[in-house]
Amino acid sequence: MIPTRYHRATDVDDAVAAIASDPDARFLAGGTNLVDHMKLGIAAPSLLVDVTRLPLDTITPTDDGGVRVGATVRNSDLAADPVVRQDYPILARALLAGASPQLRNLATTAGNLLQRTRCVYFQDPSTPCNKREPGTGCSADGGFTRYHAVLGSSPACYATHPSDMAVALAALDAQVIVVGPDGEERIPAAHFHRLPGDAPEADTVLPHDRLIVAVELPPPVAGTAGTYRKVRDRASYAFALVSVAAEVVATPESITHARIAIGGVAHKPWRATLAERVLLRDGAGTPSVELFREAAEAEFVAAEPMQGNEFKVPLAVRTLTAVLRDLTGATS
Ligand SMILES: Cc1cc2nc3c(=O)[nH]c(=O)nc-3n(C[C@H](O)[C@H](O)[C@H](O)COP(=O)(O)OP(=O)(O)OC[C@H]3O[C@@H](n4cnc5c(N)ncnc54)[C@H](O)[C@@H]3O)c2cc1C
């Protein structure tokens, strides 16, 4: 039995003060990831700071025409919001592709972003894992690699980030709004998660004493078509092998706007800047399957698959190509 204290935060300042008072404290939201990890013996917080009663559960318009999503808005409520469904279909579809209805009813916006980047070995405390216990080694090296990274990994860690929602937020250029002892900061969603390097124990750039209070979505871009497509081993209740969040504005002559992020391929949601550049370069030509394949292949030139997950590279290239074809209606 590990003794854990419990504190229900009364307001944002109280939550930040409580977390800052103890390096082993953790915020508790829906608990669907943190409590799992406590049961598995992966997390042993000395203090749980419950943030579920904070007034952060609303979805409101912002002055610039975007949307502010409170940190404790449940994933199912966010997916069902009429404005999100209408203006940010990438996000609504990504949320509905995640976990199960029961989990989405509990899971929160902030908790989803901060669910641990993980793999089967991280989840199994009987195996060495640099992310769980720095310096013990990586069991995925030479192990079961079907779900592991093909981009941006390091010999210390090959785990992939599991959140579907976070892939959509990276593609949408969302901002994560956090409050710490010195006030409020904004972190671009695309830079919120990090690559493992030689410190895989850190999944994000967020310091310990920061509370996520909201996520802000920029105003929707006129004329965009967007979607989220997830390829997985089961039709539901399975993490992505590969997923694509993409939105484009296409004219018969060219692509004039493209934002793409890819899930299931790296330690973080992978913003596909190389593919975007191919689509948007001068003289790229009319939207075509050939152009989309060129863009997708450009993103994976630097891929370094492991033995056992080589299939992910052609799968990701084909999925991105197909998503762009469907969004633009290109037939050849
Ligand atoms: C069986 C199963 C299948 C799943 N499948 C998928 C899937 O296919 N796709 C997918 O995307 N997800 C999937 N998930 C993960 C699920 O989406 C997450 O567990 C959930 O989103 C976490 O949200 P939560 O509110 O329960 O977080 P919690 O477990 O409460 O917290 C998670 C982390 O966030 C921190 N935290 C919470 N709120 C804040 C805050 N306001 N500020 C700072 N830190 C905070 C906590 O301290 C903790 O470290 C699955 C989970 C399970 C158990």
Side-chain angles (χ1 to χ4, degrees), residues 26-36 51 71 75 97-99 103 106-108 110-112 114-115 118 162-165 206 210-212 230 237-239:
R26 294 286 178 274
F27 290 122
L28 176 68
T32 59
N33 190 229
L34 180 57
V35 175
D36 260 12
V51 295
N75 288 180
L103 285 160
L106 272 178
T108 62
N112 189 319
L114 282 170
Q115 63 175 294
R118 55 196 188 268
S163 167
D164 293 291
M165 183 194 79
L206 194 70
R210 305 298 202 279
L211 172 75
I212 297 178
K230 179 175 180 179
Y237 203 33
F239 291 107

Side-chain angles (χ1 to χ4, degrees), residues 48 60 115 132 136 145 150 169 204 223 226 243 292 303-304 314 319 327:
L48 287 174
T60 46
Q115 63 175 294
R132 185 169 18 79
T136 56
T145 60
V150 296
L169 294 181
T204 71
S243 68
F292 302 153
E304 289 185 299
T319 306
L327 288 176

Side-chain angles (χ1 to χ4, degrees), residues 110-153:
N112 189 319
L113 268 177
L114 282 170
Q115 63 175 294
R116 293 302 313 266
T117 300
R118 55 196 188 268
C119 79
V120 286
Y121 299 107
F122 176 82
Q123 297 280 106
D124 178 357
S126 69
T127 61
C129 170
N130 286 321
K131 181 180 276 297
R132 185 169 18 79
E133 274 181 79
T136 56
C138 176
S139 300
D141 198 354
F144 176 75
T145 60
R146 184 168 176 79
Y147 292 95
H148 288 76
V150 296
L151 287 169
S153 55

Side-chain angles (χ1 to χ4, degrees), residues 120-320:
V120 286
Y121 299 107
F122 176 82
Q123 297 280 106
D124 178 357
S126 69
T127 61
C129 170
N130 286 321
K131 181 180 276 297
R132 185 169 18 79
E133 274 181 79
T136 56
C138 176
S139 300
D141 198 354
F144 176 75
T145 60
R146 184 168 176 79
Y147 292 95
H148 288 76
V150 296
L151 287 169
S153 55
S154 79
C157 183
Y158 300 90
T160 47
H161 184 70
S163 167
D164 293 291
M165 183 194 79
V167 179
L169 294 181
L172 286 169
D173 284 329
Q175 300 268 321
V176 184
I177 318 297
V178 307
V179 172
D182 298 325
E184 190 173 292
E185 297 159 58
R186 305 170 76 86
I187 306 172
H191 302 301
F192 185 78
H193 296 92
R194 58 183 291 286
L195 293 177
D198 55 9
E201 64 276 15
D203 298 341
T204 71
V205 299
L206 194 70
H208 170 74
D209 57 3
R210 305 298 202 279
L211 172 75
I212 297 178
V213 292
V215 167
E216 281 190 11
L217 309 175
V221 177
T224 46
T227 197
Y228 182 79
R229 187 170 299 174
K230 179 175 180 179
V231 183
R232 48 188 155 173
D233 281 330
R234 280 192 304 258
S236 77
Y237 203 33
F239 291 107
L241 290 166
V242 164
S243 68
V244 170
E247 67 168 31
V248 293
V249 178
T251 69
E253 293 77 35
S254 64
I255 303 284
T256 57
H257 165 87
R259 293 198 290 212
I260 302 165
I262 304 174
V265 295
H267 194 261
K268 56 185 276 186
W270 189 265
R271 182 68 188 250
T273 50
L274 297 174
E276 290 172 8
R277 225 172 280 161
V278 169
L279 297 174
L280 296 171
R281 72 172 180 230
D282 283 345
T286 54
S288 68
V289 174
E290 192 185 342
L291 174 64
F292 302 153
R293 194 174 301 120
E294 182 192 343
E297 284 172 350
E299 197 58 55
F300 284 88
V301 163
E304 289 185 299
M306 305 170 79
Q307 193 175 4
N309 72 0
E310 301 91 341
F311 73 94
K312 276 196 174 188
V313 175
L315 180 63
V317 167
R318 283 201 293 265
T319 306
L320 177 52

